Amino acid sequence: MQRIAWLIPVLPLAGAAFHGLLGRRAGKKAVTAVALGTVGISFILSLVLFFAAKGADAHRLDYTYFEWMTVGTLKVPFGLVFDPLSTVMALVVSGIGALIHLYSVGYMWEEEGYARYFCYLNLFVFFMLTLVLGSSLPLLFVGWEGVGLCSYLLIGYYIETDYAPAAGLKAFLFNRVGDLGMTMGMMALFATFGTLTVADILVKAGHMSPEVTCGVLTFATLMMFVGATGKSAQIPLYLWLPDAMAGPTPVSALIHAATMVTSGIYLICRLAPVFELTPTTLTVVAWTGGLTALFAATIGLFQRDIKKVLAYSTVSQLGYMFLGLGAAGFAAGFFHVFTHAWFKALLFLGAGSVIHGLHHQQDLFKMGGLKAKMPITFWTMVIATLCIMGFPGTSGFFSKDEILYLAYLKSPALYVIGLLGAACTAFYMWRLMGLAFWGEPRDHHAHDHAHESPWTMTGPLAVLAVGALLAGLLGIPKIWGGHFAIEGWLEPSLTYGKAEVAEAAEHGSHALAWGLMGLSTLVASGCALAGFLIYSKGTAAEEAFAERHPLLYRVLSNKYYVDEGVETFILAPVRWLGNLGWKLFDVILIDGVGVNLPGAVTRIAGDFTARTQTGRVRNYALGMAFGTVLLLWIFLK
Amino acid sequence: MIPWYQNLPLWVTFLPLLGALFLLFVPKGSRRTFELGALAFTVADFLLSLPLWFQYNRHDGGVQWAFSADWIPSIGVKFSVGMDGISLVLLLLTTLLGFIVVWCSFTAITERHKEYYIWLLVMQFSMLGVFITQDMFQFYLFWELMLVPMYFLIAIWGGPQKLYAAIKLFLYTLAGSVLMLVAILAIYFLQLKVTGKADMSIASFQAMAGVIAHQSHTFQILLALAFFLGFAIKVPMFPFHTWLPDAHVEAPTAGSVVLAGVLLKMGTYGFVRFLLPIAPGATKELMPYFMTLALIGVIYGALVAMIQKDMKKLVAYSSVSHLGLCMLGLFALNPNGITGGILQMLNHGISTSALFLIVGIIYERRHTRLIAEYGGLSKTMPLYATVFLIMTMSSIGLPGLNGFIGEFAILQGAFQAAPWLAVLATTGIILGAAYMLWLYQRAMFGPISETNAKMADLNLREIAYFVPLLAAAFWIGLYPKPLLNVLEAPVEKLVRQITPTYYDQVDLTKGQKEAAKVGMAGMPAPAEAETHEEAEPSHGGGH
């Protein structure tokens, strides 16, 4: 098994190398075959390893290949780990990844940079699998930064434009801030545990109890969380994700919805026992997640770009996941990662299908009435929308309600925030559906040319729709007669290294669970209905609202002006500081006063004394006479 | 007499000089002969230096390939060579860059070929000399000799402000070296007084550390400061850095590559070789100030790089920032920091040299270095764009490429010594990503102008000289272990010279940890926490 396990990440890397070196000459068909083949085989191998891990001792296979680096006291092996957490994530990455590769074939076929696109996409899968499977934090970090690089390249895929590369740069920099947080977290973990291999850290952490944790550990987990906020677009580092929609839509689906942006949650789950030792951090995680969930959902209410709505929805849903983690429901948080991967990838691909069908029209106000024209896209998106709003029985319902329930146990205030966010979600999703698929077409030219997408695109939509519906089966809660299977499944990963596994204490009651569930279903359904009724008739209602509440509408549709704030209060001062520093220190103080001034003084003094060298004997004689007199006066005085 | 192949460092050093002498006798007109001749000598030199990697004994932290002969016995000066692992990696970097700078000059240099290639070879000779020497006098000689070819390279083949830049470089570094000379003489006479023996060897100077530690406080501080200034100017550390942007901007591409790739490392090498082992006490006392200056350099260099309009100036200021980080690692005075610092020297030599070559290539085609003049180049120059991207990533420390390993080790060392400085230093790293990627975006992405659309992609020669740099970047990034093995023993020796008891303390805590591990199952967790608290101060090294 160890002999083939390494192929899982390496195959997509080989694919990327092929596209990069030979892709242009080999032609689109060869590129397609290699791209799909490598990711497909990775998926199959992941399945094999999934079952192998299931059968292994402690549900865990730990493969070390060689010693990677040794600096001073730090020793890092190059190893892969297969346990429930990592294999589920690897399956999501390679499985949904393969579907999106297939979808991309249709979506990108006309593009000139076809090989370049698949080079980046395969490379992304490689780095993402490295992130997921890496057995040590440095190796995980290689994947972590690598997916950032691929995200940068893919967001800026349309290189001739100005906005796409700028969005890529923004994504990279916001991630960079988070990544350095993570670096600091690793330093602190190393200072505490003397190792950066995840298993060793967990074993050592397992023997600690929360009371004795020193500040270093809280610092470490907080810094890790900073890393997570960067990658998973949480307050305050969420700004890059909406801009990242400048990339091709399949990229938004794979990287910026289903996989990469959830790696922050994955990281925290990976280190769950350490986070459990630091309740302060967990509280910070919960509140950051909750506030992000609501904040991003309110921004999503009035966006006109279909992808922007989905982007803010992603930020918001990621917030829910962190809310779940912060409430110490690691399994619940990760469950939402799993279900969200299906329905959000589906939503993005559906949106991509709409955009493709309308020849790159992304403005919801210019769509309308597409229901009949694009039936497969329409029905699959309805399924996804029901999932994300949490319609009873769908996957989103189970995962979101579990999180809200845990949030209530942590603090009722968090529950209220989460509920409000869910209300907004239901509203803006049905607004989107109403505007796109119902009502009268508002741009007749585009509508007349609209067409359903080719099978390479609708096929993945159908598969994802089935997945979105079934994903919930893994986590049917106890009150519904299930036993929240995913929790038991993930337990070996989430409690690894613990000296004794405490029996999960049952809080709350069935009545409470039913009550909360009923309330959130009621609220979400009400908002969904409102959104649908208002917007299936067209845009008139929103325009009227904008006239009645201009300030509120402008603040929301301009995303609270946060981007402008960052530009004014952070970027501009940094540039100003750079200019000031350069002019003041380099140009004026160091070079001017320190270097050139003494130089000038020397030269002037030289010029002045040079004047005495006149070459006339009488001047020298006069000088000599004066000198002699001076000496005589000094000595004979 | 030792067989020649056991004395390779000497041959590697003198081969370029031989080449220079050879070219001296070639008549002026034959341009091709100079180009190919210089290339042949530098490539041969590189190949000749490769066996050193295998000859090197990785378990010995001391001087290897030692060879010495009397030179001026009356004042104890010997002709003495030898290397340890630290010198070895820098020597290999020098021979690698040696043939690359010759190769990249083929089309860039259009006049006075004979002198140009002779000066390049002399330059290489003097730089190699610094790395292999084991005698103070000889060190100073090579150290000063380096300035002469660099002065001419800038002053003859440089840009419009070349004379100003060349003189500035010369005076700045001369001021530093003179201070260093004073320090050397002070130790020399102290040694004469104490032991009654005249010995200029570096080993005997390092052995004086114990004596120096018993001298007056003022003497120690002044000595450390004199060394510090001498090397800090060469690095250059803030605020002694302003010669660097001027020299870089005015120098021809090859000059910039040598300057960034090797010459700046002379300063950091000096710290490793002299200041740290000779005056560890005073260094520890001054460490907070040194680290603060290094930190200012990291952030200030990055801030200033961000607003530059000239590509070369941008890369030059990025050097200030990166070398600040390097110094931060060295001054952490622990194994991780020092190893990281040395790695960073090497990595900076690879990635920044490549970046200067990259700027040089489009300068040759368009004769401008203003970023605003470019844009959208990745469309017409895909190969160039790829190389540029990889080197940008290497420069900003993307894992999997060389820069990351060094940065990571430095941050770790600095975090042990002074956590808050490490946290602050990350600001510089974030800004580093900002200015490099912004540069890349402005030059390579966006709409393309008509003039730029005509630019040719890399030709074979250009690809060829990037290949070794790319290979090195990937190798160090992906499998740094062999390199780290080479550095392990000499770094350990250096750390022992700085803090003789360092490893004892670590071993002790390790032992405690083992003990704790054995009894862990039933042991209350607080014991674990205590171990760490005790371990902390020992890591600090600077208390």
Side-chain angles (χ1 to χ4, degrees):
Chain A
M1 216 41 91
Q2 181 164 7
R3 291 235 183 101
I4 56 163
W6 60 276
L7 283 171
I8 294 175
V10 169
L11 274 175
L13 177 67
F18 172 81
H19 305 316
L21 297 173
L22 305 168
R24 283 184 164 208
R25 259 162 287 162
K28 286 185 181 175
K29 282 192 180 149
V31 168
T32 311
V34 171
L36 291 177
T38 49
V39 181
I41 298 174
S42 276
F43 175 68
I44 294 166
L45 289 176
S46 303
L47 262 181
V48 172
L49 263 298
F50 173 82
F51 287 110
K54 206 171 172 181
D57 281 349
H59 299 283
R60 188 183 171 88
L61 294 170
D62 225 326
Y63 297 141
T64 301
Y65 289 91
F66 55 88
E67 199 171 297
W68 180 32
M69 64 174 174
T70 315
V71 190
T73 45
L74 170 67
K75 285 186 176 42
V76 184
F78 185 94
L80 303 178
V81 92
F82 295 88
D83 67 347
L85 186 65
S86 72
T87 47
V88 167
M89 195 73 181
L91 281 176
V92 170
V93 172
S94 56
I96 294 185
L99 286 175
I100 291 173
H101 273 69
L102 178 63
Y103 179 95
S104 302
V105 174
Y107 194 86
M108 303 298 288
W109 189 259
E110 308 292 327
E111 293 287 334
E112 205 184 318
Y114 191 75
R116 180 165 62 94
Y117 173 81
F118 276 104
C119 173
Y120 297 161
L121 208 60
N122 268 14
L123 193 65
F124 168 77
V125 175
F126 159 70
F127 278 124
M128 192 66 210
L129 288 170
T130 310
L131 189 166
V132 170
L133 298 172
S135 70
S136 61
L137 288 176
L139 192 58
L140 188 150
F141 192 64
V142 169
W144 185 271
E145 289 255 295
V147 291
L149 169 68
C150 296
S151 161
Y152 164 76
L153 292 170
L154 283 165
I155 294 169
Y157 174 77
Y158 298 112
I159 46 175
E160 300 89 6
T161 62
D162 279 325
Y163 64 90
L169 178 68
K170 188 172 176 183
F172 199 99
L173 290 183
F174 272 87
N175 272 302
R176 194 75 184 174
V177 175
D179 295 352
L180 283 162
M182 191 177 156
T183 312
M184 283 297 117
M186 281 197 268
M187 305 298 156
L189 283 180
F190 182 72
T192 318
F193 297 110
T195 173
L196 282 178
T197 311
V198 176
D200 295 347
I201 291 178
L202 297 187
V203 167
K204 290 195 178 170
H207 296 275
M208 291 178 160
S209 50
E211 303 89 74
V212 297
T213 50
C214 33
V216 184
L217 210 54
T218 304
F219 174 79
T221 48
L222 271 178
M223 284 292 128
M224 284 286 169
F225 178 58
V226 169
T229 57
K231 198 109 277 177
S232 298
Q234 296 297 292
I235 292 173
L237 299 177
Y238 71 97
L239 285 167
W240 64 272
L241 187 59
D243 285 42
M245 297 302 130
T249 306
V251 169
S252 312
L254 178 61
I255 302 184
H256 305 119
T259 55
M260 183 186 89
V261 288
T262 59
S263 40
I265 292 101
Y266 176 79
L267 174 71
I268 292 181
C269 287
R270 189 84 280 189
L271 295 172
V274 184
F275 274 81
E276 269 178 6
L277 293 176
T278 54
T280 322
T281 310
L282 282 182
T283 307
V284 172
V285 171
W287 278 95
T288 311
L291 289 175
T292 309
L294 178 60
F295 181 74
T298 57
I299 300 179
L301 288 175
F302 296 121
Q303 294 303 311
R304 283 180 56 166
D305 185 325
I306 185 169
K307 286 180 76 181
K308 283 275 160 75
V309 177
L310 293 179
Y312 280 105
S313 152
T314 306
V315 175
S316 166
Q317 295 299 314
L318 292 165
Y320 280 109
M321 297 171 201
F322 281 106
L323 177 57
L325 299 181
F330 296 101
F334 190 74
F335 184 39
H336 201 52
V337 169
F338 183 71
T339 58
H340 176 259
W342 293 97
F343 60 70
K344 186 50 71 61
L346 177 54
L347 281 172
F348 265 111
L349 294 188
S353 179
V354 169
I355 295 166
H356 190 74
L358 294 178
H359 300 280
H360 296 278
Q361 178 58 265
Q362 301 191 189
D363 189 348
L364 282 168
F365 278 29
K366 298 201 172 126
M367 296 177 183
L370 291 172
K371 198 165 48 161
K373 285 252 177 180
M374 310 178 85
I376 304 178
T377 308
F378 167 66
W379 282 109
T380 49
M381 275 191 84
V382 167
I383 292 173
T385 307
L386 289 175
C387 287
I388 195 174
M389 69 166 272
F391 192 76
T394 58
S395 57
F397 170 74
F398 293 127
S399 55
K400 195 191 276 178
D401 267 307
E402 185 66 28
I403 288 173
L404 288 179
Y405 176 66
L406 289 170
Y408 183 84
L409 295 183
K410 176 129 182 138
S411 148
L414 280 173
Y415 174 77
V416 173
I417 290 175
L419 189 65
L420 287 175
C424 294
T425 308
F427 182 82
Y428 67 66
M429 279 316 298
W430 279 103
R431 168 181 176 267
L432 182 151
M433 291 303 284
L435 283 174
F437 291 102
W438 272 278
E440 291 297 309
R442 283 175 293 276
D443 182 343
H444 286 281
H445 176 75
H447 186 263
D448 291 343
H449 289 86
H451 55 83
E452 182 61 283
S453 304
W455 73 268
T456 50
M457 290 167 69
T458 50
L461 289 181
V463 177
L464 286 172
V466 174
L469 282 177
L470 297 183
L473 294 180
L474 276 179
I476 295 177
K478 292 183 181 104
I479 52 166
W480 276 50
H483 44 75
F484 202 51
I486 193 157
E487 186 168 39
W489 167 239
L490 288 177
E491 200 192 287
S493 298
L494 297 178
T495 57
Y496 183 80
K498 274 200 179 171
E500 56 202 90
V501 180
E503 277 299 308
E506 279 292 329
H507 294 292
S509 62
H510 280 216
L512 178 67
W514 279 110
L516 293 177
M517 194 177 269
L519 181 62
S520 63
T521 308
L522 213 63
V523 169
S525 305
C527 290
L529 199 64
F532 175 71
L533 288 178
I534 295 171
Y535 286 97
S536 59
K537 293 194 188 74
T539 58
E542 184 165 321
E543 277 151 14
F545 177 81
E547 256 171 49
R548 253 179 297 133
H549 305 283
L551 186 67
L552 178 65
Y553 186 76
R554 239 185 307 149
V555 167
L556 285 181
S557 57
N558 283 305
K559 312 146 202 164
Y560 296 98
Y561 295 100
V562 177
D563 272 307
E564 287 78 0
V566 169
E567 170 62 35
T568 317
F569 294 109
I570 299 177
L571 299 182
V574 164
R575 280 195 293 266
W576 179 81
L577 205 65
N579 253 315
L580 178 82
W582 183 47
K583 296 242 165 74
L584 185 67
F585 286 105
D586 269 33
V587 179
I588 298 177
L589 278 180
I590 303 176
D591 261 8
V593 178
V595 179
N596 293 341
L597 185 68
V601 168
T602 314
R603 200 176 54 242
I604 291 166
D607 285 350
F608 182 73
T609 44
R611 291 230 181 117
T612 58
Q613 304 296 313
T614 56
R616 292 191 187 120
V617 179
R618 58 174 187 269
N619 291 1
Y620 296 151
L622 185 65
M624 254 173 74
F626 268 120
T628 318
V629 170
L630 197 67
L631 285 177
L632 283 175
W633 181 71
I634 289 170
F635 289 119
L636 301 178
K637 190 173 60 166
Chain B
M1 193 69 198
I2 330 164
W4 71 274
Y5 54 85
Q6 286 186 5
N7 216 347
L8 270 185
L10 203 60
W11 290 97
V12 170
T13 306
F14 278 87
L15 189 64
L17 186 66
L18 218 66
L21 284 174
F22 169 77
L23 291 186
L24 205 57
F25 294 103
V26 175
K28 250 186 178 168
S30 49
R31 169 179 177 177
R32 208 69 197 149
T33 321
F34 294 117
E35 290 172 357
L36 294 179
L39 187 63
F41 272 102
T42 43
V43 168
D45 202 34
F46 175 59
L47 294 177
L48 195 64
S49 68
L50 285 180
L52 289 170
W53 177 260
F54 303 99
Q55 287 182 356
Y56 176 72
N57 174 4
R58 279 151 180 77
H59 303 293
D60 180 4
V63 175
Q64 303 183 23
W65 299 284
F67 168 84
S68 106
D70 275 347
W71 189 1
I72 316 175
S74 56
I75 52 168
V77 173
K78 279 184 177 156
F79 177 81
S80 165
V81 300
M83 293 196 301
D84 64 358
I86 301 171
S87 309
L88 173 68
V89 293
L90 291 170
L91 176 122
L92 289 173
L93 175 71
T94 312
T95 55
L96 171 71
L97 291 176
F99 77 88
I100 290 173
V101 295
V102 170
W103 221 355
C104 79
S105 309
F106 279 16
T107 49
I109 297 303
T110 50
E111 48 168 5
R112 302 172 78 170
H113 301 94
K114 180 172 180 172
E115 292 141 278
Y116 178 80
Y117 290 104
I118 289 177
W119 281 129
L120 270 188
L121 288 169
V122 173
M123 183 81 226
Q124 190 170 351
F125 162 69
S126 53
M127 294 186 302
L128 293 170
V130 171
F131 291 134
I132 66 158
T133 185
Q134 290 300 330
D135 183 275
M136 266 320 219
F137 182 83
Q138 199 185 336
F139 169 80
Y140 193 75
L141 216 62
F142 279 119
W143 177 272
E144 293 293 280
L145 181 62
M146 278 188 313
L147 270 183
V148 179
M150 192 36 104
Y151 175 82
F152 284 113
L153 284 176
I154 295 176
I156 299 177
W157 294 273
Q161 286 257 308
K162 56 193 179 184
L163 274 181
Y164 172 75
I167 292 174
K168 198 170 177 183
L169 159 87
F170 202 96
L171 289 182
Y172 242 114
T173 43
L174 191 68
S177 351
V178 170
L179 279 172
M180 185 177 79
L181 184 64
V182 172
I184 293 175
L185 290 177
I187 301 176
Y188 176 76
F189 286 116
L190 180 68
Q191 184 194 34
L192 207 59
K193 201 172 84 186
V194 176
T195 63
K197 222 169 44 184
D199 190 352
M200 272 286 200
S201 76
I202 290 178
S204 73
F205 268 56
Q206 292 182 349
M208 286 295 290
V211 180
I212 291 167
H214 289 104
Q215 299 301 307
S216 76
H217 186 252
T218 327
F219 177 82
Q220 289 186 47
I221 295 290
L222 283 177
L223 189 73
L225 278 180
F227 269 126
F228 174 79
L229 271 173
F231 300 130
I233 288 173
K234 205 87 171 182
V235 170
M237 288 180 75
F238 180 88
F240 311 107
H241 64 279
T242 61
W243 63 269
L244 184 74
D246 283 314
H248 267 312
V249 169
E250 300 307 324
T253 301
S256 292
V257 172
V258 173
L259 199 57
V262 189
L263 220 62
L264 304 187
K265 273 68 207 190
M266 296 298 171
T268 46
Y269 180 74
F271 281 114
V272 170
R273 196 53 85 223
F274 302 105
L275 179 62
L276 300 188
I278 291 177
T283 309
K284 278 180 200 165
E285 202 178 324
L286 293 167
M287 186 180 79
Y289 304 101
F290 292 167
M291 276 185 111
T292 309
L293 275 187
L295 181 71
I296 293 176
V298 172
I299 295 171
Y300 177 80
L303 275 176
V304 174
M306 183 121 65
I307 51 116
Q308 294 306 318
K309 295 183 174 69
D310 179 311
M311 286 190 188
K312 242 183 166 180
K313 244 189 178 149
L314 190 152
V315 181
Y317 275 107
S318 85
S319 287
V320 175
S321 181
H322 285 178
L323 285 160
L325 203 60
C326 177
M327 296 314 302
L328 200 64
L330 293 181
F331 286 136
L333 303 181
N334 50 33
N336 290 5
I338 292 175
T339 313
I342 296 167
L343 277 177
Q344 176 82 352
M345 291 185 207
L346 196 63
N347 293 334
H348 177 265
I350 292 164
S351 37
T352 308
S353 301
L355 286 174
F356 276 120
L357 290 170
I358 282 163
V359 176
I361 281 170
I362 48 175
Y363 180 74
E364 250 184 73
R365 286 162 172 64
R366 281 279 326 267
H367 293 282
T368 174
R369 286 184 307 257
L370 289 180
I371 302 168
E373 288 286 318
Y374 296 99
L377 293 186
S378 62
K379 192 91 183 149
T380 48
M381 305 173 77
L383 270 174
Y384 177 79
T386 311
V387 174
F388 194 172
L389 184 70
I390 294 173
M391 283 310 168
T392 301
M393 291 300 153
S394 136
S395 166
I396 66 180
L398 192 85
L401 287 164
N402 56 347
F404 170 67
I405 309 282
E407 244 173 52
F408 193 77
I410 288 172
L411 285 180
Q412 203 169 44
F415 193 84
Q416 280 176 16
W420 285 109
L421 288 186
V423 174
L424 287 173
T426 57
T427 335
I429 297 176
I430 293 171
L431 290 171
Y435 63 72
M436 280 314 298
L437 286 174
W438 196 31
L439 166 69
Y440 190 80
Q441 183 201 336
R442 284 179 292 170
M444 307 309 290
F445 295 144
I448 191 164
S449 74
E450 234 172 86
T451 346
N452 288 331
K454 284 188 217 120
M455 281 167 72
D457 205 350
L458 298 184
N459 59 34
L460 260 176
R461 177 177 61 91
E462 286 158 349
I463 295 171
Y465 62 66
F466 274 122
V467 167
L469 292 173
L470 291 169
F474 277 108
W475 171 56
I476 299 175
L478 293 174
Y479 193 54
K481 200 168 171 262
L483 188 63
L484 294 165
N485 274 350
V486 167
L487 295 177
E488 203 176 342
V491 168
E492 190 183 327
K493 185 186 163 205
L494 179 59
V495 172
R496 278 187 203 285
Q497 280 171 331
I498 301 165
T499 316
T501 54
Y502 186 88
Y503 285 92
D504 306 341
Q505 289 169 349
V506 172
D507 286 345
L508 190 68
T509 49
K510 248 189 205 159
Q512 285 173 355
K513 273 180 194 161
E514 291 301 322
K517 217 190 243 169
V518 171
M520 199 129 83
M523 208 159 139
E528 184 84 351
E530 273 168 29
T531 317
H532 298 303
E533 275 163 21
E534 276 168 32
E536 278 318 306
S538 71
H539 289 305
H543 298 277

